[in-house]
Amino acid sequence: QVQLVESGGGLVQAGGSLRLSCAASGRTFSTFAMGWFRQAPGKEREFVAGITWNGGTTYYADSVKGRFTISRDNAKNMYLQMNSLKPEDTAVYYCAARWGNQPPRYPNECSYWGQGTQVTVSS
């Protein structure tokens, strides 16, 4: 099985930055695309950003374009650099993955999930 372990969440003031990390282990030697989702209280889990298995193509939700950057390295770790954070970015952020080249865009496309990390942006 694939294990996803997240880190980097916390409390930050509006306009600040955080970097989330997701370390993947297990059977990730095949094609393995990844993405980030978030869920705020009372809302559905929503897509934030995705990246293809080789890191060649990235995708972003309109709400985070120009502020967030997704990346991955040769060790199959994934990162989400979050700049210019806003209070509406407050949510639990989840690392997710699926087998295949294209990253997940919806929660039901994800085969694996991290435990989630809380990101809180204060005014």
Side-chain angles (χ1 to χ4, degrees):
Q1 291 294 111
V2 174
Q3 303 291 326
L4 303 177
V5 180
E6 301 169 327
S7 62
L11 174 65
V12 65
Q13 294 188 22
S17 298
L18 286 172
R19 190 180 77 153
L20 305 183
S21 299
C22 175
S25 62
R27 292 181 289 170
T28 60
F29 48 83
S30 186
T31 303
F32 192 69
M34 305 177 75
W36 291 95
F37 292 75
R38 67 186 182 187
Q39 187 168 20
K43 294 185 177 180
E44 298 292 325
R45 190 169 298 187
E46 66 176 358
F47 171 78
V48 176
I51 189 166
T52 53
W53 73 273
N54 62 0
T57 307
T58 58
Y59 304 87
Y60 298 94
D62 289 341
S63 59
V64 306
K65 286 181 180 178
R67 300 188 298 119
F68 291 10
T69 303
I70 188 172
S71 62
R72 66 189 302 172
D73 61 24
N74 292 332
K76 297 183 176 64
N77 300 310
M78 183 177 65
Y79 308 93
L80 185 68
Q81 179 66 46
M82 304 185 293
N83 298 326
S84 301
L85 283 163
K86 305 175 181 179
E88 51 262 45
D89 295 318
T90 296
V92 177
Y93 284 70
Y94 297 90
C95 174
R98 66 184 296 271
W99 298 110
N101 180 60
Q102 293 299 117
R105 303 290 193 92
Y106 301 94
N108 61 9
E109 297 177 341
C110 302
S111 298
Y112 305 97
W113 293 92
Q115 75 282 3
T117 59
Q118 178 69 46
V119 172
T120 302
V121 184
S122 62
S123 300

